[in-house]
Short mmCIF file of all heavy atoms in Angstrom, two decimals:
data_model
loop_
_atom_site.label_atom_id
_atom_site.label_comp_id
_atom_site.label_asym_id
_atom_site.label_seq_id
_atom_site.Cartn_x
_atom_site.Cartn_y
_atom_site.Cartn_z
N MET A 17 0.86 -1.18 0.03
CA MET A 17 -0.03 -0.01 0.00
C MET A 17 0.89 1.25 0.00
O MET A 17 1.92 1.32 0.69
CB MET A 17 -0.91 0.02 1.26
CG MET A 17 -2.05 -0.97 1.10
SD MET A 17 -3.26 -0.85 2.46
CE MET A 17 -2.35 -1.77 3.79
N SER A 18 0.51 2.21 -0.74
CA SER A 18 1.28 3.44 -0.95
C SER A 18 0.99 4.43 0.17
O SER A 18 -0.08 4.47 0.67
CB SER A 18 0.97 4.07 -2.28
OG SER A 18 1.26 3.23 -3.32
N LYS A 19 1.95 5.27 0.43
CA LYS A 19 1.83 6.36 1.31
C LYS A 19 1.36 7.64 0.50
O LYS A 19 1.69 7.63 -0.68
CB LYS A 19 3.10 6.70 2.07
CG LYS A 19 3.54 5.58 2.95
CD LYS A 19 4.84 5.93 3.63
CE LYS A 19 5.36 4.78 4.47
NZ LYS A 19 6.64 5.11 5.19
N TYR A 20 0.58 8.48 1.10
CA TYR A 20 0.22 9.70 0.41
C TYR A 20 0.54 10.92 1.29
O TYR A 20 0.53 10.87 2.51
CB TYR A 20 -1.35 9.67 0.20
CG TYR A 20 -1.72 8.78 -0.94
CD1 TYR A 20 -1.70 7.39 -0.82
CD2 TYR A 20 -2.00 9.27 -2.22
CE1 TYR A 20 -2.02 6.52 -1.89
CE2 TYR A 20 -2.29 8.48 -3.27
CZ TYR A 20 -2.33 7.11 -3.11
OH TYR A 20 -2.66 6.28 -4.15
N VAL A 21 0.93 12.04 0.59
CA VAL A 21 1.34 13.24 1.28
C VAL A 21 0.49 14.42 0.96
O VAL A 21 0.18 14.64 -0.18
CB VAL A 21 2.88 13.52 0.93
CG1 VAL A 21 3.35 14.76 1.62
CG2 VAL A 21 3.78 12.36 1.19
N CYS A 22 0.10 15.15 2.07
CA CYS A 22 -0.66 16.40 1.93
C CYS A 22 0.32 17.51 1.60
O CYS A 22 1.47 17.48 1.98
CB CYS A 22 -1.34 16.62 3.25
SG CYS A 22 -2.42 18.07 3.28
N PRO A 23 -0.19 18.57 0.91
CA PRO A 23 0.69 19.74 0.68
C PRO A 23 1.26 20.35 1.98
O PRO A 23 2.36 20.92 1.91
CB PRO A 23 -0.23 20.73 0.02
CG PRO A 23 -1.26 19.89 -0.63
CD PRO A 23 -1.48 18.77 0.21
N CYS A 24 0.61 20.16 3.12
CA CYS A 24 1.19 20.70 4.37
C CYS A 24 2.37 19.82 4.91
O CYS A 24 3.03 20.24 5.84
CB CYS A 24 0.10 20.72 5.43
SG CYS A 24 -0.33 19.21 6.23
N GLY A 25 2.55 18.66 4.30
CA GLY A 25 3.67 17.77 4.73
C GLY A 25 3.20 16.59 5.53
O GLY A 25 4.05 15.66 5.67
N PHE A 26 1.95 16.43 5.91
CA PHE A 26 1.45 15.28 6.63
C PHE A 26 1.46 14.09 5.65
O PHE A 26 1.08 14.17 4.51
CB PHE A 26 0.00 15.50 7.10
CG PHE A 26 -0.64 14.28 7.71
CD1 PHE A 26 -0.28 13.80 8.95
CD2 PHE A 26 -1.47 13.55 6.88
CE1 PHE A 26 -0.88 12.63 9.40
CE2 PHE A 26 -2.10 12.34 7.44
CZ PHE A 26 -1.76 11.94 8.69
N GLU A 27 1.98 12.98 6.17
CA GLU A 27 2.07 11.72 5.31
C GLU A 27 1.11 10.72 5.89
O GLU A 27 1.14 10.34 7.03
CB GLU A 27 3.44 11.19 5.31
CG GLU A 27 3.59 9.92 4.52
CD GLU A 27 5.00 9.48 4.43
OE1 GLU A 27 5.47 8.85 5.41
OE2 GLU A 27 5.71 9.73 3.42
N TYR A 28 0.12 10.25 5.08
CA TYR A 28 -0.78 9.22 5.48
C TYR A 28 -0.11 7.85 5.17
O TYR A 28 0.27 7.55 4.03
CB TYR A 28 -2.14 9.23 4.77
CG TYR A 28 -2.96 8.08 5.14
CD1 TYR A 28 -3.64 8.08 6.40
CD2 TYR A 28 -3.08 6.91 4.34
CE1 TYR A 28 -4.37 6.97 6.77
CE2 TYR A 28 -3.79 5.86 4.70
CZ TYR A 28 -4.50 5.83 5.97
OH TYR A 28 -5.15 4.74 6.35
N ASP A 29 0.22 7.09 6.25
CA ASP A 29 0.84 5.81 6.15
C ASP A 29 -0.21 4.72 6.42
O ASP A 29 -0.68 4.66 7.57
CB ASP A 29 1.97 5.73 7.11
CG ASP A 29 2.78 4.40 6.98
OD1 ASP A 29 2.24 3.45 6.41
OD2 ASP A 29 3.88 4.37 7.53
N PRO A 30 -0.60 3.92 5.41
CA PRO A 30 -1.64 2.96 5.72
C PRO A 30 -1.28 1.93 6.75
O PRO A 30 -2.23 1.34 7.37
CB PRO A 30 -1.85 2.29 4.32
CG PRO A 30 -0.70 2.71 3.45
CD PRO A 30 -0.16 3.90 4.07
N GLU A 31 -0.04 1.68 7.05
CA GLU A 31 0.33 0.74 8.07
C GLU A 31 -0.04 1.33 9.49
O GLU A 31 -0.16 0.59 10.36
CB GLU A 31 1.84 0.47 7.98
CG GLU A 31 2.17 -0.37 6.74
CD GLU A 31 3.68 -0.83 6.76
OE1 GLU A 31 4.30 -0.78 7.80
OE2 GLU A 31 4.11 -1.20 5.67
N ILE A 32 -0.08 2.66 9.56
CA ILE A 32 -0.44 3.27 10.78
C ILE A 32 -1.88 3.67 10.89
O ILE A 32 -2.51 3.58 11.96
CB ILE A 32 0.52 4.57 11.02
CG1 ILE A 32 1.94 4.16 11.10
CG2 ILE A 32 0.10 5.32 12.29
CD1 ILE A 32 2.92 5.34 11.09
N GLY A 33 -2.42 4.07 9.70
CA GLY A 33 -3.81 4.53 9.68
C GLY A 33 -3.88 5.94 10.27
O GLY A 33 -2.95 6.71 10.27
N ASP A 34 -5.01 6.27 10.87
CA ASP A 34 -5.24 7.59 11.51
C ASP A 34 -6.04 7.30 12.80
O ASP A 34 -7.22 7.56 12.88
CB ASP A 34 -5.98 8.54 10.55
CG ASP A 34 -6.14 9.95 11.18
OD1 ASP A 34 -5.55 10.22 12.23
OD2 ASP A 34 -6.92 10.71 10.63
N PRO A 35 -5.33 6.73 13.80
CA PRO A 35 -6.06 6.34 15.05
C PRO A 35 -6.77 7.47 15.70
O PRO A 35 -7.82 7.18 16.38
CB PRO A 35 -4.93 5.76 15.95
CG PRO A 35 -3.61 6.25 15.38
CD PRO A 35 -3.89 6.57 13.89
N ASP A 36 -6.33 8.72 15.63
CA ASP A 36 -7.07 9.83 16.22
C ASP A 36 -8.44 10.05 15.60
O ASP A 36 -9.29 10.66 16.19
CB ASP A 36 -6.28 11.12 16.15
CG ASP A 36 -5.01 11.05 16.97
OD1 ASP A 36 -4.90 10.21 17.92
OD2 ASP A 36 -4.06 11.83 16.74
N ASN A 37 -8.62 9.53 14.39
CA ASN A 37 -9.90 9.72 13.74
C ASN A 37 -10.51 8.33 13.30
O ASN A 37 -11.32 8.21 12.38
CB ASN A 37 -9.67 10.54 12.37
CG ASN A 37 -9.39 12.00 12.73
OD1 ASN A 37 -10.14 12.69 13.33
ND2 ASN A 37 -8.10 12.41 12.40
N ASP A 38 -10.18 7.39 14.18
CA ASP A 38 -10.86 6.05 14.03
C ASP A 38 -10.56 5.30 12.73
O ASP A 38 -11.36 4.52 12.27
CB ASP A 38 -12.32 6.07 14.32
CG ASP A 38 -12.67 6.56 15.73
OD1 ASP A 38 -11.91 6.21 16.64
OD2 ASP A 38 -13.65 7.29 15.84
N ILE A 39 -9.38 5.57 12.09
CA ILE A 39 -9.02 4.88 10.92
C ILE A 39 -7.98 3.80 11.32
O ILE A 39 -6.97 4.09 11.78
CB ILE A 39 -8.38 5.80 9.84
CG1 ILE A 39 -9.33 6.93 9.52
CG2 ILE A 39 -7.98 5.06 8.62
CD1 ILE A 39 -10.61 6.55 8.86
N GLU A 40 -8.40 2.54 11.18
CA GLU A 40 -7.62 1.43 11.61
C GLU A 40 -6.28 1.26 10.85
O GLU A 40 -6.27 1.55 9.63
CB GLU A 40 -8.41 0.11 11.50
CG GLU A 40 -9.62 0.09 12.36
CD GLU A 40 -9.29 -0.04 13.83
OE1 GLU A 40 -8.30 -0.68 14.19
OE2 GLU A 40 -10.00 0.55 14.64
N PRO A 41 -5.21 0.76 11.50
CA PRO A 41 -4.03 0.42 10.68
C PRO A 41 -4.36 -0.56 9.59
O PRO A 41 -5.28 -1.47 9.80
CB PRO A 41 -3.12 -0.21 11.73
CG PRO A 41 -3.55 0.34 13.05
CD PRO A 41 -5.06 0.51 12.88
N GLY A 42 -3.74 -0.53 8.43
CA GLY A 42 -4.04 -1.39 7.39
C GLY A 42 -5.07 -0.84 6.43
O GLY A 42 -5.42 -1.52 5.43
N THR A 43 -5.56 0.38 6.63
CA THR A 43 -6.54 0.99 5.79
C THR A 43 -5.83 1.73 4.64
O THR A 43 -5.09 2.62 4.84
CB THR A 43 -7.41 2.00 6.55
OG1 THR A 43 -8.03 1.37 7.67
CG2 THR A 43 -8.51 2.63 5.61
N ALA A 44 -6.02 1.21 3.40
CA ALA A 44 -5.51 1.85 2.22
C ALA A 44 -6.05 3.25 2.07
O ALA A 44 -7.23 3.50 2.41
CB ALA A 44 -5.82 1.01 1.01
N PHE A 45 -5.27 4.17 1.45
CA PHE A 45 -5.68 5.56 1.23
C PHE A 45 -6.96 5.47 0.45
O PHE A 45 -7.89 6.30 0.70
CB PHE A 45 -4.58 6.32 0.53
CG PHE A 45 -4.93 7.77 0.35
CD1 PHE A 45 -4.72 8.61 1.39
CD2 PHE A 45 -5.40 8.28 -0.83
CE1 PHE A 45 -5.00 9.96 1.22
CE2 PHE A 45 -5.70 9.62 -0.98
CZ PHE A 45 -5.51 10.51 0.12
N GLU A 46 -7.06 4.63 -0.57
CA GLU A 46 -8.28 4.57 -1.45
C GLU A 46 -9.48 4.24 -0.67
O GLU A 46 -10.63 4.49 -1.11
CB GLU A 46 -8.01 3.58 -2.54
CG GLU A 46 -6.94 3.99 -3.53
CD GLU A 46 -5.54 3.59 -2.99
OE1 GLU A 46 -5.38 2.90 -1.98
OE2 GLU A 46 -4.61 4.06 -3.64
N ASP A 47 -9.30 3.53 0.53
CA ASP A 47 -10.43 3.08 1.26
C ASP A 47 -10.83 4.04 2.44
O ASP A 47 -11.79 3.77 3.15
CB ASP A 47 -10.15 1.71 1.92
CG ASP A 47 -9.95 0.65 0.86
OD1 ASP A 47 -10.55 0.74 -0.20
OD2 ASP A 47 -9.25 -0.35 1.15
N LEU A 48 -10.15 5.19 2.46
CA LEU A 48 -10.56 6.25 3.50
C LEU A 48 -11.91 6.78 3.07
O LEU A 48 -12.27 6.87 1.89
CB LEU A 48 -9.51 7.37 3.47
CG LEU A 48 -8.16 7.00 4.07
CD1 LEU A 48 -7.20 8.16 3.84
CD2 LEU A 48 -8.29 6.67 5.55
N PRO A 49 -12.71 7.16 4.04
CA PRO A 49 -14.03 7.73 3.73
C PRO A 49 -13.85 9.00 2.84
O PRO A 49 -12.84 9.72 2.97
CB PRO A 49 -14.56 8.10 5.10
CG PRO A 49 -13.80 7.38 6.13
CD PRO A 49 -12.49 7.09 5.49
N GLU A 50 -14.79 9.29 1.98
CA GLU A 50 -14.67 10.44 1.08
C GLU A 50 -14.57 11.77 1.81
O GLU A 50 -13.96 12.66 1.33
CB GLU A 50 -15.84 10.44 0.07
CG GLU A 50 -15.76 9.44 -0.98
CD GLU A 50 -14.48 9.53 -1.84
OE1 GLU A 50 -14.10 10.67 -2.21
OE2 GLU A 50 -13.83 8.49 -2.06
N ASP A 51 -15.17 11.80 3.04
CA ASP A 51 -15.10 13.03 3.83
C ASP A 51 -13.92 13.11 4.79
O ASP A 51 -13.85 13.99 5.55
CB ASP A 51 -16.44 13.21 4.59
CG ASP A 51 -16.72 12.12 5.59
OD1 ASP A 51 -15.97 11.10 5.66
OD2 ASP A 51 -17.68 12.24 6.38
N TRP A 52 -13.00 12.11 4.67
CA TRP A 52 -11.72 12.22 5.52
C TRP A 52 -10.94 13.38 5.09
O TRP A 52 -10.89 13.69 3.93
CB TRP A 52 -10.97 10.92 5.37
CG TRP A 52 -9.74 10.83 6.20
CD1 TRP A 52 -9.66 10.45 7.55
CD2 TRP A 52 -8.42 11.16 5.75
NE1 TRP A 52 -8.35 10.52 7.95
CE2 TRP A 52 -7.58 11.03 6.91
CE3 TRP A 52 -7.82 11.66 4.62
CZ2 TRP A 52 -6.17 11.19 6.86
CZ3 TRP A 52 -6.44 11.83 4.60
CH2 TRP A 52 -5.62 11.63 5.70
N ILE A 53 -10.40 14.10 6.13
CA ILE A 53 -9.59 15.25 5.86
C ILE A 53 -8.21 15.13 6.50
O ILE A 53 -8.10 14.35 7.43
CB ILE A 53 -10.24 16.57 6.29
CG1 ILE A 53 -10.51 16.50 7.77
CG2 ILE A 53 -11.50 16.90 5.45
CD1 ILE A 53 -11.05 17.83 8.37
N CYS A 54 -7.24 15.93 6.11
CA CYS A 54 -5.93 15.89 6.71
C CYS A 54 -6.12 16.21 8.19
O CYS A 54 -6.68 17.31 8.50
CB CYS A 54 -5.04 16.87 6.02
SG CYS A 54 -3.38 17.04 6.80
N PRO A 55 -5.59 15.44 9.06
CA PRO A 55 -5.71 15.71 10.49
C PRO A 55 -4.89 16.93 10.91
O PRO A 55 -5.09 17.45 12.04
CB PRO A 55 -5.31 14.45 11.22
CG PRO A 55 -4.36 13.72 10.21
CD PRO A 55 -4.91 14.15 8.88
N VAL A 56 -3.93 17.35 10.12
CA VAL A 56 -3.13 18.56 10.47
C VAL A 56 -3.69 19.84 10.00
O VAL A 56 -3.86 20.78 10.72
CB VAL A 56 -1.68 18.37 9.91
CG1 VAL A 56 -0.79 19.59 10.16
CG2 VAL A 56 -1.02 17.10 10.54
N CYS A 57 -4.08 19.92 8.65
CA CYS A 57 -4.46 21.21 8.10
C CYS A 57 -5.96 21.18 7.59
O CYS A 57 -6.43 22.28 7.27
CB CYS A 57 -3.56 21.58 6.93
SG CYS A 57 -3.77 20.61 5.45
N GLY A 58 -6.58 20.05 7.54
CA GLY A 58 -8.00 20.04 7.16
C GLY A 58 -8.28 19.91 5.64
O GLY A 58 -9.47 20.02 5.27
N LEU A 59 -7.22 19.78 4.81
CA LEU A 59 -7.47 19.65 3.38
C LEU A 59 -8.14 18.37 3.02
O LEU A 59 -7.90 17.34 3.74
CB LEU A 59 -6.19 19.82 2.62
CG LEU A 59 -5.59 21.16 2.46
CD1 LEU A 59 -4.22 21.12 1.73
CD2 LEU A 59 -6.57 22.09 1.66
N PRO A 60 -8.94 18.24 2.01
CA PRO A 60 -9.60 17.01 1.66
C PRO A 60 -8.56 16.03 1.05
O PRO A 60 -7.52 16.43 0.57
CB PRO A 60 -10.64 17.42 0.58
CG PRO A 60 -10.18 18.72 0.03
CD PRO A 60 -9.34 19.35 1.18
N LYS A 61 -8.96 14.74 1.02
CA LYS A 61 -8.07 13.75 0.59
C LYS A 61 -7.64 13.88 -0.94
O LYS A 61 -6.59 13.38 -1.31
CB LYS A 61 -8.58 12.31 0.91
CG LYS A 61 -9.76 11.90 0.17
CD LYS A 61 -10.23 10.55 0.61
CE LYS A 61 -9.97 9.47 -0.36
NZ LYS A 61 -10.52 8.13 -0.05
N ASP A 62 -8.52 14.54 -1.71
CA ASP A 62 -8.18 14.72 -3.16
C ASP A 62 -6.97 15.69 -3.31
O ASP A 62 -6.50 15.88 -4.49
CB ASP A 62 -9.34 15.05 -3.95
CG ASP A 62 -9.96 16.45 -3.67
OD1 ASP A 62 -9.48 17.11 -2.75
OD2 ASP A 62 -10.98 16.83 -4.33
N MET A 63 -6.50 16.31 -2.33
CA MET A 63 -5.35 17.25 -2.37
C MET A 63 -4.03 16.45 -2.08
O MET A 63 -2.97 16.97 -2.38
CB MET A 63 -5.46 18.35 -1.35
CG MET A 63 -6.66 19.25 -1.64
SD MET A 63 -6.63 20.12 -3.24
CE MET A 63 -5.18 21.21 -2.95
N PHE A 64 -4.14 15.21 -1.69
CA PHE A 64 -2.94 14.42 -1.38
C PHE A 64 -2.28 13.82 -2.68
O PHE A 64 -3.05 13.65 -3.65
CB PHE A 64 -3.29 13.24 -0.51
CG PHE A 64 -3.48 13.57 0.98
CD1 PHE A 64 -4.48 14.49 1.42
CD2 PHE A 64 -2.66 13.06 1.96
CE1 PHE A 64 -4.64 14.75 2.72
CE2 PHE A 64 -2.82 13.30 3.31
CZ PHE A 64 -3.83 14.20 3.64
N GLU A 65 -1.04 13.67 -2.69
CA GLU A 65 -0.34 13.03 -3.77
C GLU A 65 0.39 11.76 -3.26
O GLU A 65 0.86 11.68 -2.15
CB GLU A 65 0.69 13.99 -4.35
CG GLU A 65 0.03 15.18 -5.06
CD GLU A 65 1.04 16.03 -5.78
OE1 GLU A 65 2.18 15.66 -5.89
OE2 GLU A 65 0.63 17.12 -6.24
N GLU A 66 0.43 10.80 -4.11
CA GLU A 66 1.11 9.54 -3.81
C GLU A 66 2.57 9.79 -3.58
O GLU A 66 3.28 10.53 -4.34
CB GLU A 66 0.95 8.47 -4.93
CG GLU A 66 1.42 7.17 -4.54
CD GLU A 66 0.98 6.05 -5.51
OE1 GLU A 66 0.26 6.37 -6.52
OE2 GLU A 66 1.40 4.92 -5.35
N ALA A 67 3.10 9.23 -2.54
CA ALA A 67 4.55 9.44 -2.17
C ALA A 67 5.42 8.44 -2.84
O ALA A 67 5.03 7.37 -3.21
CB ALA A 67 4.70 9.36 -0.64
#
């Protein structure tokens, strides 16, 4: 599974997930809810680029 990076520098790592927002480890970026946003700056997931 690929990592994705927000313009603010936050990196979504599927091996870690986003535990602060109830995203389990092992959740692929593509499987994140459509309304998931960057936990650092609040940008939507369509602003992320594959790392």
